[in-house]
Amino acid sequence: MVSSVCLAELGHSVDLIEIDDAKVASLNSGRVPIYEEGLEEMLVKHIDHCLKVTPDYDNICNTDATFVCVGTPSLSDGSADLSMIKSASSSIGEALLGSRKYHVVVVKSTVPPGTTEKVVIPEILENRHLKNQDIGFAMNPEFLREGRAIKDFMKPDRIIIGSADDKAGDFIESVYRGLNAPMIRTGLTEAEMVKYASNAFLATKISFSNEVGNICKDLGIDVYEVMKGVGMDHRINQYFLNAGAGFGGSCFPKDVSALIHLAEDLDEDPILLKSVMAINELQPKRLVDLLEKRIGHLSGKRVAVLGLAFKDNTDDVRASRSIYVISELKRRGARVAAYDPKANNSMQSILSDVDYCQNAAEALNNADACLIMTEWPEFSALDREFDRMKTKVIIEGRRILSCAGFEGICW
Ligand SMILES: NC(=O)c1ccc[n+]([C@@H]2O[C@H](COP(=O)([O-])OP(=O)(O)OC[C@H]3O[C@@H](n4cnc5c(N)ncnc54)[C@H](O)[C@@H]3O)[C@@H](O)[C@H]2O)c1
């Protein structure tokens, strides 16, 4: 969705092909089925003009390029599920059959190195007897952050264009000509690896900060003051050094897991990446342990959980730390009252038996404790609402109430 509306914004004529009929209907009526700031306005601006939403692949042969943006979730062993990549590639191959026009297939989904060469190209060329047709292949990973997706797409730090040959790469460069960003040309597998390595590095910064934060808490040191000092070193920078409940979302956990799986398949032992994941998995448990230290056995206690989305400004709860925290609270017998400004509905489809509230005050009513799990700005403004609690035990998984000196998971 984001790629389509932003490519339309850049002046291209775009067909957004989506196999989920409900999403097609929603988009065609100008409604975005997720919460992402600015996306709906941009959809409404372009729909029926330069943006068409359709379940059909038929018109691909009349276009210059196809961007493959389908999901690549984790399989149970941590590897990337490439079934949607395969099926989209197969549909593209079918749609291009008989076409005489040059066409570039661009993989934008995050895929393990080698996927474009070993899965996408064979699926399109060999299975569909398209060998003699003029098709180019490119890999152009996406680095946008949910909640800031449009800004990130339109103002990227860099654009990575991996291609099998210059013609395909030159074409993709021309697609992005309206953007003021450095373009880095690479091979297909290098582009795929840039994305995995970037996400693994960012996840490492977070787990590193959490480990330092855990040590700091034991020593009574404020990890935020420490990391402010650390981040002023230009070789390190200040971003992604926020200690807390760990990373969630649709990208870091799955991409680091996929890289670990890939390494192990090569008989490597990715010690660092495994530790990054291990620290991340422990943080939610540490938070619940800390709560138990403060209020004793959790059985029968009412715990308010503020924030369900994996970060602010989105309704995405994929791999959100709140899932693990709420599950652990319930396992220990607590009653959970939860509230998120945007993600109550998405969480409801994952966790039932939770009292979903309409606002923070309702969740805090008579609560024995409160855990803050998402850095929504409205939570930092909470004050008198905490007076509704039975006992005022408030623990932050994200540092947003710092001025009042609340206890946090690492501070
Ligand atoms: N979400 C992010 O912030 C983000 C950022 C950078 C990269 N990525 C990568 O982008 C990819 C997509 O992520 P997402 O979060 O948008 O996933 P998503 O699951 O939310 O969206 C993918 C869409 O593709 C549709 N789809 C599946 N198979 C299809 C097919 N054969 N033809 C047409 N449509 C099909 C699905 O119905 C779904 O609506 C992933 O590889 C992800 O790692 C995501």
Side-chain angles (χ1 to χ4, degrees), residues 52-73:
K52 211 175 82 191
V53 183
T54 169
D56 282 329
Y57 277 74
D58 302 349
N59 194 39
I60 280 188
C61 54
N62 300 314
T63 66
D64 300 304
T66 305
F67 286 76
V68 179
C69 306
V70 299
T72 48

Side-chain angles (χ1 to χ4, degrees), residues 223-239:
V223 63
Y224 274 70
E225 274 186 32
V226 172
M227 285 316 196
K228 195 170 166 195
V230 171
M232 297 207 36
D233 185 325
H234 74 277
R235 296 167 301 177
I236 298 174
N237 88 33
Q238 76 267 41
Y239 304 107

Side-chain angles (χ1 to χ4, degrees), residues 1-2 16-21 23 33-34 36 54-55 57 68-73 83-89 91 108-111 141-147 149 195 199 249-251 254-255 310-311 316 318:
M1 283 185 281
V2 174
L16 193 181
I17 302 171
E18 167 60 63
I19 51 165
D20 181 328
D21 289 336
K23 286 185 186 169
I34 55 165
E36 181 61 51
T54 169
Y57 277 74
V68 179
C69 306
V70 299
T72 48
S83 59
M84 285 183 258
I85 292 282
K86 263 191 176 177
S87 126
S89 304
S91 303
K108 200 170 221 346
S109 299
T110 303
V111 292
E142 179 53 57
F143 298 97
L144 62 80
R145 293 164 298 173
E146 285 180 32
K195 175 66 188 178
N199 275 358
S250 67
C251 292
K254 89 169 166 70
D255 295 343
F310 82 95
K311 62 192 277 197
D316 197 341
R318 287 178 283 187

Side-chain angles (χ1 to χ4, degrees), residues 251-263:
C251 292
F252 289 179
K254 89 169 166 70
D255 295 343
V256 179
S257 299
L259 192 51
I260 290 171
H261 192 273
L262 183 82

Side-chain angles (χ1 to χ4, degrees), residues 137-156:
F137 290 94
M139 202 286 150
N140 166 225
E142 179 53 57
F143 298 97
L144 62 80
R145 293 164 298 173
E146 285 180 32
R148 290 130 186 102
I150 290 180
K151 278 188 210 133
D152 285 350
F153 189 100
M154 300 304 280
K155 279 193 171 187

Side-chain angles (χ1 to χ4, degrees), residues 261-320:
H261 192 273
L262 183 82
E264 287 177 339
D265 267 358
L266 297 166
D267 278 339
E268 294 293 338
D269 184 11
I271 306 163
L272 176 64
L273 298 178
K274 287 197 287 192
S275 302
V276 167
M277 290 303 283
I279 294 167
N280 200 52
E281 274 148 34
L282 277 178
Q283 288 306 96
K285 189 177 164 294
R286 287 183 76 99
L287 191 58
V288 180
D289 286 346
L290 179 61
L291 175 67
E292 208 163 42
K293 265 193 211 155
R294 296 293 172 260
I295 64 171
H297 285 304
L298 297 182
S299 181
K301 302 264 169 67
R302 177 176 161 99
V303 180
V305 174
L306 299 185
L308 302 171
F310 82 95
K311 62 192 277 197
D312 63 320
N313 261 332
T314 179
D315 59 356
D316 197 341
V317 297
R318 287 178 283 187
S320 166

